[in-house]
Amino acid sequence: MSRTALVIGGGIAGPATAMALRKAGIEAVVHEARAEGDGDAGVFLTLGSNGIEALKAIDADRRATATGFATPELTLRGSKGKTLGVSKISSATAAPSMTIRRADLYRALHEEAVRRGVQVVHGKRLVSAEDTGDAVTATFADVTTATGDLLIGCDGVHSTVRRAVDPGAPAPSYAGLISLGGYARGVDTGAEPGSYTMIFGRRAFFGYAVAPDGEVWWFANVPRPAEPARGEVERIPADEWRRTLAGAFADDAGPAVRILEATATADIMPASPVHLLKRLPAWHRGRMIVVGDAAHAPSPSSGQGASLAIEDAVVLARCLRDAPSHAEAFADFVRRRRPRVEKIVKQAARINNSKAAGPVGRLFLDAFMPLFLRAAARSSFTEEVYGHRTTWEVAA
Ligand SMILES: Cc1cc2nc3c(=O)[nH]c(=O)nc-3n(C[C@H](O)[C@H](O)[C@H](O)COP(=O)(O)OP(=O)(O)OC[C@H]3O[C@@H](n4cnc5c(N)ncnc54)[C@H](O)[C@@H]3O)c2cc1C
């Protein structure tokens, strides 16, 4: 029986997996590449009802979402201000979806894991992993090693563990978009606290949610067909982005320009290119397995990446708790998880392929048209996604 696990990556899946494993009686140490306190984690995300239910299964929901606010529905508008649709982005029967700063979610999960006795070590960038048959050894960039019964790759869309599992694994694909965002104060958008609006602008895509204290949390997606060099867009100064975005949204209806003006330079978060991973043939080999974005990074249009990562964490721990061997547990995990995640990934892709917009609009629709709006005619699918219950005691 496996008793120790090396968890690689301390983002969302990492601490959630470590907590779930601990609940299953398996000691887990989280190895995170970033230095302690490095909060470079993007802007904010929406955790679906299903992700919150999965956190509930390991009693981590309240702490993890304490700084977020409920965003149960979404309004989609066109560039002239026309309302294109309003849709629930929550399950009708479970906790409402919550919008939360990504750094707050990372911190809360990390602190809760540590509070429960999980060891988290920073500055540990995995460079290779070797399965020796009766154990697995991880080697880090600082030339240290660690050995455990299992190695679980929670290292995101650019996963190193994925390649250790299968050197021929597909690389993530670039979505043709740069994403960035920030926080604005003192701007009246006319929208109620808790509301979430997305605008298909003429040249770029804009989304904003109004927090209970009136702060406006916004993000923008700017098309850039050629994939930027590593670190290139991250280095572009905030004020340059402000000018770029002001130009991009100048001809659109809606408050994007005013929101940008009301955002302090320090509150514009670094930009990053968007990458996706559609289908990974092998999720595990020997004592190694990948979960979360390392196994399946859906289009942001799904609004589901973080929630699926947390579901994975709970289901993997449950499988390891219940199966007689790690090999059977891993096989059971894939059997349970692959159909659900691939259905969500595929539905997003199918929806994305049926676009009638022009090249720029089409790009946004392809990558960001919320799954639930396109699937509005099939509210059963929305419920299938958001109403999914991952429980600890009963196999879902
Ligand atoms: C623009 C955008 C918007 C999104 N919006 C949403 C949303 O609204 N809702 C939603 O559910 N999802 C959203 N997502 C997806 C979501 O962010 C991811 O699905 C989620 O973060 C996956 O969690 P993870 O733990 O698997 O990976 P990550 O959160 O990426 O964490 C991976 C961790 O591994 C570490 N790491 C990487 N390599 C190594 C290594 N070699 N050694 C050690 N550590 C390593 C990283 O530093 C990081 O801390 C969005 C994504 C994008 C790009």
Side-chain angles (χ1 to χ4, degrees):
M1 187 60 196
S2 306
R3 286 280 156 246
T4 61
L6 309 173
V7 172
I8 308 300
I12 295 171
T17 299
M19 285 190 274
L21 289 175
R22 201 174 163 81
K23 197 170 161 77
I26 299 169
E27 204 62 40
V29 177
V30 178
H31 301 266
E32 165 56 45
R34 285 174 295 141
E36 184 143 27
D38 177 357
D40 179 17
V43 198
F44 57 90
L45 53 74
T46 298
L47 208 48
S49 305
N50 53 310
I52 295 170
E53 290 295 323
L55 283 170
K56 242 183 219 171
I58 52 169
D59 317 307
D61 54 313
R62 263 168 301 152
R63 277 173 189 265
T65 60
T67 59
F69 57 95
T71 40
E73 64 179 34
L74 179 74
T75 301
L76 190 74
R77 295 191 197 283
S79 62
K80 293 179 181 165
K82 185 181 169 207
T83 299
L84 303 177
V86 178
S87 179
K88 292 269 177 229
I89 53 169
S90 274
S91 163
T93 58
S97 299
M98 304 278 287
T99 294
I100 183 166
R101 288 177 196 247
R102 193 183 287 262
D104 283 353
L105 179 61
Y106 276 33
R107 192 178 311 113
L109 289 171
H110 171 265
E111 285 175 1
E112 182 58 12
V114 169
R115 197 184 68 81
R116 294 179 188 196
V118 171
Q119 194 190 348
V120 181
V121 281
H122 290 268
K124 294 288 176 190
R125 177 171 294 282
L126 183 90
V127 288
S128 65
E130 193 191 353
D131 184 341
T132 54
D134 55 1
V136 58
T137 295
T139 302
F140 302 98
D142 63 2
V143 210
T144 57
T145 60
T147 298
D149 294 327
L150 304 172
L151 185 141
I152 301 170
C154 302
D155 50 344
V157 67
H158 300 291
S159 173
T160 300
V161 179
R162 187 194 301 137
R163 288 195 303 277
V165 166
D166 176 7
S173 57
Y174 170 58
L177 289 166
I178 308 300
S179 181
L180 76 155
Y183 304 95
R185 289 186 195 85
V187 58
D188 183 10
T189 61
E192 291 296 314
S195 66
Y196 202 151
T197 307
M198 292 190 183
I199 301 169
F200 286 88
R202 286 179 177 82
R203 298 181 202 93
F205 184 87
F206 192 81
Y208 64 98
V210 183
D213 64 0
E215 192 173 54
V216 179
W217 299 14
W218 61 268
F219 73 89
N221 298 124
V222 183
R224 177 169 163 163
E227 183 169 2
R230 205 177 175 94
E232 186 186 338
V233 297
E234 289 82 347
R235 284 193 293 272
I236 296 174
D239 275 331
E240 194 175 322
W241 276 119
R242 189 202 298 284
R243 286 191 293 277
T244 303
L245 295 179
F249 296 117
D251 298 330
D252 293 339
V257 172
R258 284 188 295 112
I259 290 173
L260 286 163
E261 284 166 357
T263 305
T265 301
D267 290 331
I268 299 177
M269 301 293 123
S272 59
V274 177
H275 288 89
L276 321 168
L277 181 70
K278 285 186 185 148
R279 189 174 196 278
L280 182 66
W283 288 15
H284 62 97
R285 178 174 65 83
R287 295 175 172 273
M288 299 186 278
I289 191 164
V290 283
V291 303
D293 270 14
H296 44 75
S299 155
S301 69
S302 72
Q304 278 291 316
S307 297
L308 293 178
I310 297 165
E311 288 182 8
D312 279 357
V314 176
V315 176
L316 178 62
R318 227 178 45 199
C319 291
L320 285 162
R321 176 196 67 189
D322 296 341
S325 69
H326 69 269
E328 285 156 285
F330 286 177
D332 191 28
F333 173 76
V334 175
R335 190 178 58 75
R336 290 173 183 278
R337 295 300 294 157
R338 196 188 272 284
R340 172 164 168 79
V341 299
E342 289 187 353
K343 188 168 181 184
I344 291 171
V345 168
K346 239 186 237 156
Q347 176 74 4
R350 195 178 64 74
I351 289 161
N352 292 343
N353 284 339
S354 60
K355 305 302 179 312
V360 171
R362 186 186 176 115
L363 180 61
F364 295 129
L365 288 165
D366 281 352
F368 285 97
M369 181 62 162
L371 179 56
F372 34 82
L373 282 175
R374 281 295 170 132
R378 292 211 306 117
S379 61
S380 62
F381 184 69
T382 304
E383 199 52 35
E384 189 179 331
V385 174
Y386 288 92
H388 185 83
R389 301 282 170 102
T390 305
T391 57
W392 184 250
E393 302 303 339
V394 186

